[in-house]
Every structure is written in C-alpha cells, then in structure tokens.
Amino acid sequence: MLPTGPIPESAIEEALLEAVRLHRLHDFRGALALYDRVLAHVPGHAAALAHRGRALHNLGSRAEAMSCFEGALDHEPLYCEGWYYLGIAARASGRMDTALQAFGRALVLRPAFRAARANLATPLLAIDQFGAAQDVLAERRERFGRFAEDELA
C-alpha cells in the first residue's frame, strides 16, 4: 500500500501498477486518485495520462478523457495504445474522423494490433465507407481468424 502524499520517484511504477489494479476492479475513482498523484510528480507521464483518460471515459467524462489521450500523445507520439484509446473515446463521442485517424495511426505503429484493426471498421461504416470496412474486416479475419467478442469494444 502506498502512503498518502507525494509519491517518491522510486514508487512511481508501483503507484501506476496499483492504479491499473484498481481500474481493473472498476474502482475508477480510486484509480484516478493514484493517476493524479503520479501526474503531480511527472506531469507528462504518457501511460498515466492515457490510463487516467480510460478511467474518465469509463466514468462518462468523454471530453476530459479525450484531453488526457491527446496529452499522452503530445508527450509520446509513438504510444500505440494512446492512439487506440483516443480512437475508442472518439468513436464513443461520435467523432468518427478522429477515430478513423487514431485507429489508423495505431495500426501504422503496430500492424498486428488486433483490437485497433477490429475497431477501425466502425468509423468506416459511420462515414459510409462500406467497401473499406469490409476490406478491413476481411483482412483482419484472414490475418487473425475469428473475432473475439472482447476485441470489438
């Protein structure tokens, strides 16, 4: 258990792991408190910003979540998961062009990113790119087999 107050440099990763553990338990507010403590010490910590965004997204604060994802990517533009999370939040907010760009960027960085490929079809369908969406899904099936339900979220 981490003590209250400022997090020492040596405990940053421990705090981040604990925040992710809380997040997985759906204790989003507890996770947010730890993400905020990490960010108070290291304001540009891309993983903490992105995970903070995920917690906010799960709490329904989509605009603030998008801001966290964008901040993470400002600090670490090659952060593949950051692009993916931005795509998820953009899609949920109806910003399909942003979602399309974010999922595409994640796939440029990691071509075998299954969840990004699976989620790429949704914004394509939303902007009436049916052929492109079918191509994405066919390529995904060819490369990786059937979809797992949890990859489509």
Side-chain angles (χ1 to χ4, degrees):
M1 185 72 169
L2 292 167
T4 58
I7 298 175
E9 183 81 28
S10 61
I12 294 290
E13 291 308 310
E14 178 187 352
L16 201 51
L17 288 172
E18 177 62 11
V20 169
R21 186 187 73 76
L22 292 173
H23 190 123
R24 287 185 177 145
L25 293 172
H26 296 246
D27 180 0
F28 303 122
R29 295 196 190 288
L32 275 174
L34 280 176
Y35 295 136
D36 287 343
R37 287 178 63 199
V38 169
L39 291 165
H41 189 71
V42 186
H45 196 292
L49 281 165
H51 287 297
R52 182 177 193 278
R54 289 180 60 216
L56 289 164
H57 178 80
N58 286 323
L59 290 169
S61 299
R62 294 213 164 75
E64 195 175 355
M66 295 272 296
S67 178
C68 286
F69 299 135
E70 290 164 347
L73 293 166
D74 285 344
H75 290 282
E76 198 172 320
L78 299 179
Y79 184 36
C80 184
E81 287 79 6
W83 288 106
Y84 172 73
Y85 299 143
L86 177 62
I88 294 292
R91 185 189 69 189
S93 300
R95 296 174 52 190
M96 295 303 168
D97 287 341
T98 301
L100 186 62
Q101 290 172 357
F103 291 136
R105 180 69 176 178
L107 288 166
V108 165
L109 294 169
R110 190 186 325 150
F113 195 164
R114 291 180 178 192
R117 184 154 317 276
N119 281 285
L120 182 61
T122 303
L124 286 168
L125 289 170
I127 61 172
D128 297 330
Q129 296 293 318
F130 301 111
Q134 284 181 322
D135 291 346
V136 164
L137 292 173
E139 178 188 348
R140 198 299 189 177
R141 273 191 301 278
E142 184 178 305
R143 289 180 81 178
F144 306 112
R146 288 186 53 85
F147 290 109
E149 289 296 319
D150 62 338
E151 290 182 7
L152 298 175

